[in-house]
Amino acid sequence: MSTPSSPAYPYRLRIPGPISIPERVRSATAQPIVNHRGAEMRIVLGEIQRLIKPLFGTQAPVLVFGSSGTGVMEASLVNILAPGEKVLALVHGQFGERYAQIARALGAEVEVIESEWGHAPAPERVAAELAKADYRAVIAVHNESSTGAVTDLAAIGALLRERETLFLVDSISGLGGMEVRQDEWGVDIVVTGSQKALMCPPGLGFASVSDKARKVIDRADRCPRFYWDMRKALAVVDNQETAFTCPVSLLFGLHEALKMIHEEGLPQVFARHGRLSGALRAGCVALGLPAFGDPAVASRTVVVAAVLAPLTGGAIVKHMNETYNTMIAGARNKLTGKVIRIGTMGQISEADILTDLHYLERTLMALGHTVPAAGAGVAAAAAALR
């Protein structure tokens, strides 16, 4: 792999998605292409259904699209909306804003409850808004990777269970690294993508739909739809097929990734993500980069650290990349320069976290920041891991 960065260090992709994929997954994507409607592919698609449903926490079918995460966000809305219907958008970061923008583009009347970035939407505010008007849907981001805050889906789902209002959730950066209990929590559509905690290359989008949502999807008075038409996907999913040509190679990779997740065990996967994100967060704090937002709702799949002046997030990202060949993320929104973001999703280890902190400490010192003591970040993370 050729990069503009220093060849003295191996390339490390540490952004919160796309992530570096395991060699087993990469090898699986290199298998020969098979007939996308043949017996071989139906076996793979059937296995994927069996293995992926527990990650969604659902008995409902999981629909597969050749798509980015944004594509299935649009699919979730285009199938349940008619122009002019009302949507309540819970916004606490960049991707909540995107969900609301998609709803507006489809002609919905969008009411926004905006929470302070880094904090989760308050269920009591949602309850108060639901008392004022009828909404076709409430839309929310489970794990807001731009801020590192997690939404209480169970509390909000409980408000909607007896209403006609549907609950739509983007768990693109959460599912696979954090628990999702779609059926238990009363979520009607959950969407996610392949390139984050599912440990695959970008290009696959997924949506699971409840019976409650399916009744709305089946109506003929929704937005115009063709490729995104979930009725077509639902009609063939039980036959282990997709409505249109599926990304065969990516699905081979997904099948392998799901096997890896189940070999480790879902409780163990979730615990590992929590342990490693907590250690990285502790290390950043020890280096003088406070955790951004409310620690009570901190993500398990991304660590967002605040950057205090005169440092800037952009300078840290640039130095990490150019000096240590390690790509972390800043922000491309109103937090630009104020935070750095490091992914803690997928097949990561304690060694990854300690290496992140070692390079981060050296970067901060090179940029003129004084750290409390040599090795402070690594020591704090090691203590957290113990």
Side-chain angles (χ1 to χ4, degrees), residues 32-360:
I33 300 293
V34 300
N35 177 4
H36 69 295
R37 300 208 184 279
E40 306 99 321
M41 200 66 225
R42 285 198 294 273
I43 290 170
V44 172
L45 286 169
E47 274 287 287
I48 286 171
Q49 283 292 322
R50 181 179 69 84
L51 295 170
I52 204 169
K53 285 180 181 180
L55 277 67
F56 281 80
T58 189
Q59 296 298 314
V62 177
L63 307 180
V64 179
F65 295 90
S67 168
S68 68
T70 302
V72 282
M73 291 168 76
E74 180 168 337
S76 71
L77 286 164
V78 78
N79 278 276
I80 62 97
L81 282 177
E85 289 188 320
K86 291 184 177 181
V87 169
L88 180 60
L90 312 184
V91 175
H92 60 124
Q94 176 180 340
F95 297 102
E97 287 183 340
R98 179 177 296 183
Y99 220 170
Q101 289 167 352
I102 296 169
R104 290 191 192 97
L106 295 173
E109 182 182 326
V110 180
E111 184 72 29
V112 173
I113 294 179
E114 179 147 14
S115 305
E116 182 181 353
W117 284 29
H119 296 253
E124 57 270 21
R125 291 183 64 192
V126 179
E129 192 58 45
L130 291 171
K132 297 177 187 176
D134 293 325
Y135 290 94
R136 173 72 283 162
V138 172
I139 58 177
V141 174
H142 177 207
N143 181 76
E144 180 56 79
S145 61
S146 69
T147 67
V150 178
T151 299
D152 186 345
L153 301 183
I156 295 168
L159 300 173
L160 301 171
R161 192 178 293 277
E162 302 304 322
R163 296 174 178 267
E164 292 187 2
T165 303
L166 299 177
F167 189 21
L168 277 54
V169 169
D170 155 10
S171 189
I172 292 167
S173 65
L175 190 141
M178 298 164 55
E179 192 168 41
V180 176
R181 300 183 186 179
Q182 179 176 0
D183 295 350
E184 181 181 331
W185 294 345
V187 182
D188 295 297
I189 300 180
V190 176
V191 299
T192 196
S194 55
Q195 76 277 19
K196 296 185 185 273
L198 292 181
M199 304 190 296
C200 291
L204 288 171
F206 308 91
S208 59
V209 298
S210 70
D211 289 341
K212 179 180 171 184
R214 194 163 180 168
K215 291 173 183 175
V216 178
I217 291 166
D218 284 341
R219 289 168 54 174
D221 62 347
R222 303 297 87 191
C223 289
R225 45 195 160 146
F226 189 85
Y227 180 76
W228 296 128
D229 193 339
M230 288 183 178
R231 294 171 298 182
K232 294 184 175 75
L234 286 163
V236 298
V237 68
D238 289 338
N239 297 328
Q240 288 77 53
E241 291 189 26
T242 56
F244 301 102
T245 303
C246 60
V248 172
S249 296
L250 295 179
L251 288 167
F252 285 161
L254 175 68
H255 186 210
E256 193 65 30
L258 291 171
K259 288 193 290 185
M260 293 176 65
I261 289 170
H262 284 283
E263 285 167 10
E264 184 177 353
L266 283 184
Q268 291 76 19
V269 169
F270 300 148
R272 175 171 55 82
H273 280 73
R275 185 174 69 255
L276 295 179
S277 62
L280 179 57
R281 196 171 288 110
C284 288
V285 170
L287 292 175
L289 301 178
F292 180 79
D294 179 2
V297 295
S299 169
R300 293 185 168 203
T301 60
V302 58
V303 169
V304 182
V307 177
L308 307 180
L311 286 172
T312 66
I316 295 171
V317 170
K318 185 172 185 288
H319 192 276
M320 288 279 283
N321 183 32
E322 292 182 349
T323 308
Y324 300 111
N325 221 2
T326 293
M327 179 56 71
I328 65 171
R332 296 185 302 157
N333 47 53
K334 66 183 183 181
L335 298 179
T336 297
K338 299 177 181 178
V339 298
I340 57 170
R341 300 178 300 130
I342 303 176
T344 54
M345 60 185 76
Q347 194 187 47
I348 58 167
S349 66
E350 294 182 5
D352 292 313
I353 300 303
L354 299 178
T355 302
D356 292 337
L357 290 165
H358 176 59
Y359 291 163
L360 182 58

